[in-house]
Amino acid sequence: LTDNSEEAEGSGDAAAGAEASEEADCSDRTPCEDLWGDCLQPQFQQMIINSLLCVKDEIVHRKGGGYEVFGYDFMVSDGGPDGKPKAWLIEVNSSPACDYSTPVTCPLVKKMMEDTAKIMVDLRENPDSGTGEWELLQHGHNKLVSNRTERCPQLAVEGKEIPPPKGFIKKKNKSKKKKQKKGVTKGAAETDADDGDGDDDEESDPDGDDDGDGE
């Protein structure tokens, strides 16, 4: 037993010495740059905010609040102006696919659905509850801007009329032509109807006399 304990103590000292040497080596190394947190993630967030600001006037506010999931597709290129990866927005899907299509999307979709339930249910009941992997993007566009402008001066358009080029023929409005044709055909139809009434009056007297004597 004594020999085994001495061997165990010796192996423990060797492991501690190996860990100490590894820590010494790591302290001399320069830490790697966090390209995701410092470079790519801020680009993704800014693109998402800009895309939503472009359509903020088209969003229909539902009574009682509502939620909608958008799917953003990005592409990353190697080597931007500063030598770091650059993100590109490809498209935004209003109805992203949530099926387990690949081994990569399967855990992501499951986690996304679970965290979405946390936002829609748990967060309403308890504002301090967690939201999982969902993060609230902060931006400085919360200030309301009034559409009314006080003391607006008179607006006027100043410029010079551009003469049309030589040989330019202005196209006539087709709708006016159609209306004119309809008016002509209608007038002709009324004239034919009046002529038909006169013929009926003449045929009513079989003798052709105005006396009314017919034998």
Side-chain angles (χ1 to χ4, degrees), residues 40 43-55 70-77 86-94:
L40 292 176
Q43 294 184 56
F44 291 162
Q45 293 177 352
Q46 190 60 44
M47 289 180 184
I48 293 173
I49 292 174
N50 293 340
S51 64
L52 295 176
L53 289 175
C54 293
V55 296
F70 295 98
Y72 281 78
D73 293 342
F74 295 97
M75 180 182 292
V76 179
S77 63
K86 180 175 177 56
W88 302 86
L89 175 61
I90 302 175
E91 63 177 353
V92 182
N93 299 312
S94 58

Side-chain angles (χ1 to χ4, degrees), residues 167-183:
F168 175 77
I169 300 175
K170 187 177 180 181
K171 294 183 179 180
K172 296 182 179 179
N173 195 350
K174 295 182 180 180
S175 60
K176 290 183 178 180
K177 286 185 177 181
K178 290 182 179 179
K179 289 181 180 179
Q180 291 176 359
K181 288 182 179 180
K182 287 182 179 180

Side-chain angles (χ1 to χ4, degrees), residues 9-19:
E9 289 177 359
S11 60
D13 294 339
E19 291 178 358

Side-chain angles (χ1 to χ4, degrees), residues 106-116 118 132-134:
C106 180
L108 294 177
V109 172
K110 287 183 177 180
K111 181 62 176 174
M112 184 271 294
M113 298 301 291
E114 293 177 0
D115 295 343
T116 302
K118 294 178 182 179
E133 298 295 332
W134 288 109

Side-chain angles (χ1 to χ4, degrees), residues 144-157:
L144 297 177
V145 180
S146 176
N147 294 329
R148 298 181 180 180
T149 306
E150 297 181 358
R151 298 180 182 179
C152 179
Q154 184 179 3
L155 299 178
V157 179

Side-chain angles (χ1 to χ4, degrees), residues 18-197:
E19 291 178 358
S21 61
E22 289 179 1
E23 291 178 358
D25 294 339
C26 293
S27 61
D28 297 338
R29 297 175 184 174
T30 304
C32 297
E33 183 181 2
D34 185 8
L35 293 178
W36 167 253
D38 297 337
C39 180
L40 292 176
Q41 189 177 20
Q43 294 184 56
F44 291 162
Q45 293 177 352
Q46 190 60 44
M47 289 180 184
I48 293 173
I49 292 174
N50 293 340
S51 64
L52 295 176
L53 289 175
C54 293
V55 296
K56 66 176 183 178
D57 296 333
E58 305 297 330
I59 298 176
V60 179
H61 297 279
R62 300 177 178 88
K63 187 177 181 181
Y67 300 91
E68 187 169 357
V69 178
F70 295 98
Y72 281 78
D73 293 342
F74 295 97
M75 180 182 292
V76 179
S77 63
D78 186 14
D82 53 356
K84 298 180 180 180
K86 180 175 177 56
W88 302 86
L89 175 61
I90 302 175
E91 63 177 353
V92 182
N93 299 312
S94 58
S95 299
C98 295
D99 52 348
Y100 307 148
S101 57
T102 64
V104 176
T105 59
C106 180
L108 294 177
V109 172
K110 287 183 177 180
K111 181 62 176 174
M112 184 271 294
M113 298 301 291
E114 293 177 0
D115 295 343
T116 302
K118 294 178 182 179
I119 295 176
M120 298 177 63
V121 180
D122 299 343
L123 194 62
R124 282 191 172 186
E125 298 179 356
N126 183 14
D128 297 331
S129 63
T131 58
E133 298 295 332
W134 288 109
E135 297 181 8
L136 181 63
L137 298 183
Q138 302 292 338
H139 56 83
H141 304 280
N142 296 328
K143 184 179 179 181
L144 297 177
V145 180
S146 176
N147 294 329
R148 298 181 180 180
T149 306
E150 297 181 358
R151 298 180 182 179
C152 179
Q154 184 179 3
L155 299 178
V157 179
E158 297 181 358
K160 184 179 180 181
E161 183 179 0
I162 301 176
K166 294 181 179 180
F168 175 77
I169 300 175
K170 187 177 180 181
K171 294 183 179 180
K172 296 182 179 179
N173 195 350
K174 295 182 180 180
S175 60
K176 290 183 178 180
K177 286 185 177 181
K178 290 182 179 179
K179 289 181 180 179
Q180 291 176 359
K181 288 182 179 180
K182 287 182 179 180
V184 172
T185 53
K186 186 177 180 180
E190 291 178 354
T191 305
D192 294 342
D194 295 340
D195 295 341
D197 294 342

